[in-house]
Amino acid sequence: EVREELLRDLRNERARAEHSPNILVLYLFELASFFNAFYGTEKILGMPDTASRVTLCEATAQVLTNGLTILGVAVPEKM
């Protein structure tokens, strides 16, 4: 898990350094895919750890928003 996070950080740094937006696009796609799988199988509200799950959803939305903004892609307020 930590290794994967470090690899993602390295990819994002590489995207910036090499002016290769495709690396950032791939990262955002993978993040959205992982989150979609989580959201599709896990209950968010009404669980003992609801606060943590909501925080995870908010953090994921923020990362996706930041990444898309960097790429110049308009981000909808709601989906």
Side-chain angles (χ1 to χ4, degrees), residues 27-55:
Y27 167 72
L28 295 174
F29 178 77
E30 289 175 351
L31 176 61
S33 295
F34 289 133
F35 180 76
N36 186 52
F38 165 78
Y39 194 80
T41 60
E42 299 293 328
K43 188 173 178 183
I44 306 298
L45 302 176
M47 301 298 289
D49 60 347
T50 293
S52 296
R53 291 170 184 248
V54 169
T55 300

Side-chain angles (χ1 to χ4, degrees), residues 3-42:
R3 180 179 177 274
E4 288 178 15
E5 184 176 330
L6 289 172
L7 288 173
R8 280 192 288 272
D9 289 344
L10 289 172
R11 274 196 307 221
N12 292 338
E13 179 61 26
R14 184 175 148 223
R16 187 183 64 76
E18 295 178 10
H19 303 286
S20 300
N22 60 306
I23 298 170
L24 179 56
V25 170
L26 178 60
Y27 167 72
L28 295 174
F29 178 77
E30 289 175 351
L31 176 61
S33 295
F34 289 133
F35 180 76
N36 186 52
F38 165 78
Y39 194 80
T41 60
E42 299 293 328

